[in-house]
Amino acid sequence: MSDLFFKLKLSYKFTSALMFKETRSPFVRFLFSKPTKERPVPEVVVAADVRPLGLSEGIHKYSILVEGQRYSRVISIDSNNIRGDELNEALLNKVYDQKVAVKAQGLPSA
């Protein structure tokens, strides 16, 4: 799954790990960040839990739940024709910007 997300050419760097919970099926947790040369350790990260929904004719479907959001979204990635717009970065940007603003105010964040 991570290799497909890498091919999306997101502006974010990310790491991923397989997670298990007793009551739900396994999922992959992605941590998205924007490290820079000046700050190689990112100030904030955005977590997203991704569950595979299936594969049909080369199209992978995933449920993605970004932290702070109530509802998950379904994304489709065609492994034979990756366009780069399959994951709308605006949602990640919104959560990222909110976390940066909270940090700038000196408030504790999750």
Side-chain angles (χ1 to χ4, degrees), residues 77-88:
I77 302 174
D78 182 346
S79 57
N80 298 317
N81 184 27
I82 294 179
R83 301 178 317 271
D85 63 353
E86 291 84 356
L87 175 60
N88 185 348

Side-chain angles (χ1 to χ4, degrees), residues 28-55:
V28 176
R29 171 151 302 149
F30 284 84
L31 296 177
F32 295 97
S33 64
K34 290 188 174 186
T36 63
K37 286 183 181 180
E38 297 79 27
R39 292 184 181 255
V41 176
E43 291 185 68
V44 298
V45 297
V46 176
D49 294 343
V50 179
R51 288 182 168 78
L53 298 176
L55 170 65

Side-chain angles (χ1 to χ4, degrees), residues 49 63-74 91 95:
D49 294 343
S63 169
I64 181 168
L65 179 62
V66 177
E67 71 174 288
Q69 303 296 303
R70 180 176 289 177
Y71 302 106
S72 61
R73 287 150 171 83
V74 174
L91 179 59
V95 175

